[in-house]
Amino acid sequence: MRRAVAMLSRPVLARSMTRLAVPVRPLLSYAPPSASLSMARSFSTTPPQDGGNNRPYSTDIYQGISNQAFSKEIADILSAPLDSNDIEIKPDGIIYLPEIKYRRILNKSFGPGGWGLKPTGPPQTEKGNITRPYALYCQGRFVSEAIGENQYFEGGHMSSATAIEGSKSNAVMRCCKDLGVGSELWDPVFIQKWKAAYTVEVLCEDDRTKSKKKMWRRKDRQPFGYPYKEVRVFASAASALPAAAPAAAVPPPVEEQVQSDAEIEVADEEGILCNIRLVSFVFFDEV
């Protein structure tokens, strides 16, 4: 009797164990952008309490950091001065290098496929911006990390995919700073000189509101278009630069002799006029 009951209960027990089985959860779960944009995750560097299941960040991304310097050939390409014609300026006066220029410098330095940008966390929204952390790898080792950001408003004209791509481009620029690419863009002296040589500040009027504000553009660019109208062009910023020091005057020699001749007529004791040649000398003391 007991044996029959045991045999009958085996299928029931098997079904019960199947129902009670705990599903296996992957270590890293990634939600699509539409669902992950509203996620509020903090990327802390403290060790996780749950084995890392709820936090995509990991210190493993730093593998190979500062193990070896890049070759001199690569370093020269990365630190080469920028072409002034490649630099752009925003209407608010901030100068920048277009993102595609950074990619071209990386491709020239390491070759296509020799570098990569790895996302280290999901995108998230924060005060009208979409942000996402990235790490830059060159020749298979970690170089730099940064959080890229781009403006994003739900329901606006920009899709979440475009905003995420913009944050990636912003991260490329920020990571390249650690490689020395475009370092002069943060040099106040270079900024002042470049703006004086290549840009102009104009006063623009908004045709819709009739409000006016100052804006910057390159000298070789067309005037601002609708809704703005340029009403005044300000003097070049070159006037604000300190004037070059005048060339030092060459001091006269220690002693310089200047000779001038003159002839005058004088009368001798007998009243006979005669010509006398006079020679004068002028000496300059050392300054």
Side-chain angles (χ1 to χ4, degrees):
M1 184 67 178
R2 292 178 181 176
R3 186 176 181 182
V5 171
M7 293 179 64
L8 291 174
S9 61
R10 285 177 182 175
V12 177
L13 180 61
R15 289 195 298 270
S16 300
M17 292 179 65
T18 302
R19 293 175 181 175
L20 294 175
V22 179
V24 178
R25 182 174 59 176
L27 291 178
L28 292 179
S29 59
Y30 175 73
S34 59
S36 61
L37 292 180
S38 59
M39 298 174 63
R41 289 185 176 181
S42 61
F43 300 97
S44 172
T45 57
T46 57
Q49 303 299 325
D50 57 355
N53 293 336
N54 292 328
R55 182 172 61 84
Y57 187 88
S58 173
T59 55
D60 293 340
I61 67 172
Y62 302 117
Q63 182 177 1
I65 182 173
S66 68
N67 279 346
Q68 183 181 1
F70 292 117
S71 66
K72 184 179 184 302
E73 180 183 0
I74 293 177
D76 289 343
I77 297 175
L78 294 172
S79 59
L82 297 178
D83 185 347
S84 295
N85 292 321
D86 289 339
I87 303 174
E88 299 290 341
I89 188 169
K90 297 180 180 180
D92 59 2
I94 297 177
I95 68 173
Y96 68 98
L97 187 69
E99 180 272 338
I100 191 60
K101 305 291 184 180
Y102 289 98
R103 293 180 179 271
R104 290 175 181 173
I105 294 174
L106 291 175
N107 284 334
K108 186 177 180 180
S109 302
F110 306 104
W115 66 277
L117 200 67
K118 176 183 178 181
T120 57
Q124 57 182 331
T125 56
E126 179 183 356
K127 298 180 180 179
N129 287 333
I130 188 169
T131 62
R132 191 175 192 183
Y134 291 90
L136 176 64
Y137 291 83
C138 299
Q139 295 183 343
R141 52 196 173 100
F142 173 85
V143 171
S144 180
E145 66 176 338
I147 298 179
E149 64 178 342
N150 196 78
Q151 279 193 338
Y152 174 73
F153 300 96
E154 294 188 16
H157 68 282
M158 182 181 294
S159 66
S160 60
T162 302
I164 293 173
E165 185 67 18
S167 68
K168 180 180 179 181
S169 298
N170 182 249
V172 170
M173 178 270 294
R174 292 181 172 181
C175 287
C176 281
K177 286 195 296 184
D178 288 348
L179 290 173
V181 179
S183 59
E184 55 263 50
L185 298 177
W186 286 267
D187 183 351
V189 176
F190 175 85
I191 293 173
Q192 187 182 31
K193 290 183 178 179
W194 185 88
K195 291 175 72 173
Y198 292 91
T199 67
V200 63
E201 188 179 18
V202 297
L203 181 64
C204 294
E205 180 180 293
D206 192 327
D207 284 341
R208 301 164 300 181
T209 62
K210 302 304 178 183
S211 60
K212 297 180 181 180
K213 65 176 181 179
K214 294 181 179 180
M215 301 173 67
W216 291 84
R217 64 170 172 82
R218 286 184 46 147
K219 293 179 180 178
D220 57 351
R221 297 290 190 268
Q222 294 294 326
F224 288 103
Y226 183 84
Y228 296 106
K229 178 178 64 176
E230 296 185 6
V231 296
R232 179 183 175 187
V233 177
F234 294 95
S236 173
S239 59
L241 294 175
V250 179
V254 176
E255 180 176 323
E256 180 177 351
Q257 176 178 306
V258 179
Q259 176 178 323
S260 63
D261 297 341
E263 291 186 353
I264 60 174
E265 293 183 345
V266 296
D268 59 2
E269 295 179 352
E270 299 178 356
I272 301 175
L273 292 176
C274 64
N275 294 331
I276 299 179
R277 183 181 180 88
L278 297 179
V279 179
S280 61
F281 297 92
V282 180
F283 295 90
F284 295 92
D285 294 333
E286 183 178 3
V287 178

